[in-house]
Amino acid sequence: MKDYQAFILSARQQGLAEVRTELKPESALSAIEADRSRIVQCSPVRRLQQKTQVFPLDVKASVRSRLTHSLEVKETGRQLALLVLASSEEVVDKQALVSLVEMACLLHDVGNPPFGHFGEVVMIDWLRTRLPSLFKQAVGAGSRQWPMLLADLQQFEGNAQSLRLLHSVQGLNLTLSQLAALQKYVRGGYQRRTQGAWQQKPGHYFSERPLVQEIRALFPSTTRGRYPLTFLMEAADDMAYGVADLEDAVDRGVLSLVELEQAILRDGNVYLQTCWRQAQANEPGFFARFRERLNDDLLRLVSEQYLQHHPAILDGSHGQPLLAVDQAPAQALQWLKGFAHREVFKHREVEALELAGFAALRGILGVFAPLLALPESEFTSLESRQDAEGLLLRRLYHRLPPRHLAAYKRDSQQAPLFEQAHEREWYFRVRLLLDFLSGMTDTYVLEEYRLLCGFQG
């Protein structure tokens, strides 16, 4: 695993490298340990405690939030990294490698909006419907570059937003190794989808294109494929929620243990049925035993797949998830995920909570839309307006967080790669609103919506 020395580096984005007084350059391990401290203490991780996993707005402490889910993914990722390392005697900074995997796992959901993937769908629909007319009001005709920028703005993806949130909004200045480990997809939101690997969703936005260019210059294999450790993060996520979502559904009373047992014994493969019977569903602590049995086999399977495809993973040519194999444990996990999607995520109670989220997200976007309809000169001079409409818009402007406004003011003036200054400003004005909304917790979205509804009279 000597090749990992080329992937585990202390480098940070150019222009943001840290000023240090030491005579010796910062080692990869010390840089990654510094990353770890920043990540654990950052506000996006704390906000995960009030973002949904399956059941929005649930008050039961035993039901998973995004934070508890991410902690479970982090532990699974750590076990996978240790298993992979145990099979190699090559020189590699094991502590740094394990930390990169752990922190990628902890951060994998920080860009998800309120109400999870349902929230993503709501936001994308609004963006595709409203942005063209708002741009026409604010700017007018677009340049030759504008269709690409508009396509970028009309896509919202939690993984791409994670990269933007941590780097461009929060300014954590993480190592390029840590940021690369977060990227599940190689396509930019401004690029058309091709037949290549990892093109399903956008992995970054145009606003982070300079950062991604630096990552790819440092790790050339990520130009066409993933950073190697991303495979372990993805597998850890799949393993963690495969059983956990069903456990939460039983705990919440949405699904009974008997119903789950009947479905498994009727439709599950022999391996899954054996795991179920051996875990003894009629005894206390059943889910812990069931999860442990399945996870033990999945840990072995994932680590074996990683090592089997190791050369292709390192050179960026491996194009399949580690769990996309025709083996019994992976098939069992896929069945559990499919059952949860059919029987839990489409349950009446879950959908009712998502309807509340739909109203709140659409409502907030609608209230703030007039800020996007303003020409740049009017938007930047809101503080001086005294008319009724100006006072209303100014108060909406004041709802935007100072950190987000600072990122907007910086990037709207100097971000590279934009051909037209007025399009750059409007692009980052939209990003300002999306950063604000996607960073909200489920409860904060509803509170903000209630406030704005009262504010509108």
Side-chain angles (χ1 to χ4, degrees):
M1 299 182 79
K2 291 178 181 178
D3 292 326
Y4 278 90
Q5 301 304 346
F7 286 98
I8 303 176
L9 304 174
S10 62
R12 304 181 191 276
Q13 188 181 26
Q14 292 181 13
L16 294 177
E18 315 218 329
V19 178
R20 293 186 174 271
T21 58
E22 300 99 318
L23 295 177
K24 294 182 179 180
E26 185 179 25
S27 70
L29 178 58
S30 63
I32 289 164
E33 284 295 308
D35 282 358
R36 189 181 187 92
S37 178
R38 295 172 194 183
I39 290 166
V40 170
Q41 297 178 52
C42 72
S43 59
V45 169
R46 293 196 299 274
R47 282 197 292 269
L48 290 172
Q49 66 186 312
Q50 290 188 357
K51 285 195 174 185
T52 184
Q53 177 60 19
V54 179
F55 301 99
L57 313 174
D58 202 291
V59 297
K60 290 188 68 175
S62 61
V63 172
R64 290 167 176 83
S65 67
R66 286 280 176 184
L67 179 59
T68 48
H69 163 69
S70 296
L71 290 172
E72 291 176 353
V73 177
K74 172 179 169 293
E75 178 57 25
T76 302
R78 176 178 178 274
Q79 293 177 37
L80 285 172
L82 291 173
L83 271 177
V84 167
L85 286 166
S87 301
S88 173
E89 297 180 356
E90 298 289 345
V91 176
V92 61
D93 194 328
K94 296 181 179 181
Q95 188 176 342
L97 186 148
V98 172
S99 185
L100 284 170
V101 174
E102 282 190 282
M103 292 301 99
C105 290
L106 183 60
L107 292 172
H108 81 283
D109 271 350
V110 294
N112 282 15
F115 295 89
H117 295 298
F118 178 78
E120 281 185 354
V121 173
V122 174
M123 293 173 67
I124 290 169
D125 179 71
W126 189 90
L127 292 167
R128 290 178 176 172
T129 303
R130 296 296 309 277
L131 285 193
S133 60
L134 289 169
F135 175 79
K136 188 175 182 180
Q137 286 179 262
V139 180
S143 70
R144 62 177 184 176
Q145 189 186 36
W146 181 246
M148 178 181 72
L149 298 177
L150 178 62
D152 187 75
L153 288 172
Q154 289 178 317
Q155 299 179 75
F156 186 92
E157 210 291 315
N159 192 238
Q161 186 65 22
S162 294
L163 188 68
R164 172 166 175 76
L165 174 65
L166 296 167
H167 182 76
S168 304
V169 179
Q170 292 291 321
L172 294 186
N173 191 18
L174 302 176
T175 61
L176 298 182
S177 294
Q178 188 66 75
L179 293 173
L182 277 173
Q183 289 195 275
K184 292 173 65 174
Y185 309 105
V186 301
R187 178 173 66 88
Y190 51 92
Q191 295 173 318
R192 293 188 178 185
R193 180 175 173 178
T194 70
Q195 296 301 313
W198 318 119
Q199 295 276 326
Q200 304 94 313
K201 298 179 180 180
H204 66 279
Y205 302 129
F206 190 82
S207 50
E208 282 65 57
R209 187 177 179 181
L211 170 65
V212 171
Q213 288 175 337
E214 285 196 37
I215 290 173
R216 290 176 177 176
L218 192 63
F219 311 121
S221 64
T222 61
T223 300
R224 60 170 177 158
R226 286 175 164 177
Y227 183 84
L229 302 182
T230 307
F231 285 91
L232 299 179
M233 176 264 282
E234 178 188 53
D237 182 28
D238 284 347
M239 290 169 59
Y241 77 79
V243 176
D245 289 350
L246 293 171
E247 182 180 8
D248 283 349
V250 171
D251 187 45
R252 193 68 172 72
V254 167
L255 178 73
S256 74
L257 205 56
V258 172
E259 290 174 316
L260 179 56
E261 181 176 60
Q262 289 174 343
I264 287 176
L265 297 182
R266 182 182 65 247
D267 301 324
N269 63 10
V270 174
Y271 167 82
L272 182 58
Q273 293 173 358
T274 301
C275 289
W276 183 273
R277 292 191 178 100
Q278 290 180 348
Q280 298 174 315
N282 59 336
E283 296 293 330
F286 157 73
F287 264 112
R289 291 190 300 274
F290 179 60
R291 183 171 56 247
E292 184 176 357
R293 166 64 198 278
L294 181 58
N295 269 13
D296 284 347
D297 292 338
L298 288 169
L299 285 167
R300 285 191 291 271
L301 173 60
V302 169
S303 60
E304 287 169 1
Q305 289 295 310
Y306 188 86
L307 292 168
Q308 179 181 335
H309 299 288
H310 201 236
I313 286 172
L314 285 177
D315 70 19
S317 62
H318 188 60
Q320 292 293 328
L322 298 176
L323 282 166
V325 292
D326 187 21
Q327 296 196 32
Q331 292 173 333
L333 181 67
Q334 191 61 36
W335 187 92
L336 292 171
K337 288 161 58 179
F339 183 80
H341 180 75
R342 294 189 304 273
E343 303 298 328
V344 177
F345 288 88
K346 294 183 179 180
H347 191 275
R348 181 182 177 88
E349 179 182 348
V350 174
E351 290 187 341
L353 293 168
E354 288 178 337
L355 284 174
F358 169 83
L361 288 167
R362 293 275 300 192
I364 292 173
L365 285 166
V367 170
F368 278 86
L371 291 178
L372 302 181
L374 296 174
E376 179 182 357
S377 59
E378 292 186 28
F379 180 73
T380 55
S381 62
L382 277 175
E383 293 290 0
S384 63
R385 286 184 61 171
Q386 297 299 319
D387 61 291
E389 182 186 15
L391 292 174
L392 172 64
L393 294 176
R394 191 167 75 193
R395 280 157 177 74
L396 289 174
Y397 179 84
H398 289 163
R399 301 297 298 171
L400 301 170
R403 186 186 295 273
H404 296 59
L405 286 168
Y408 157 76
K409 291 174 182 177
R410 178 195 68 225
D411 294 334
S412 65
Q413 295 298 314
Q414 62 187 40
L417 306 179
F418 288 83
E419 296 177 3
Q420 300 292 327
H422 56 284
E423 291 180 354
R424 176 177 60 198
E425 184 280 328
W426 198 81
Y427 175 94
F428 283 105
R429 205 190 313 172
V430 177
R431 285 268 166 250
L432 169 62
L433 178 56
L434 296 179
D435 293 341
F436 171 53
L437 186 61
S438 65
M440 292 181 179
T441 64
D442 297 353
T443 51
Y444 183 28
V445 163
L446 294 182
E447 290 172 4
E448 188 73 5
Y449 180 54
R450 282 193 289 265
L451 180 148
L452 293 171
C453 285
F455 186 41
Q456 288 179 298

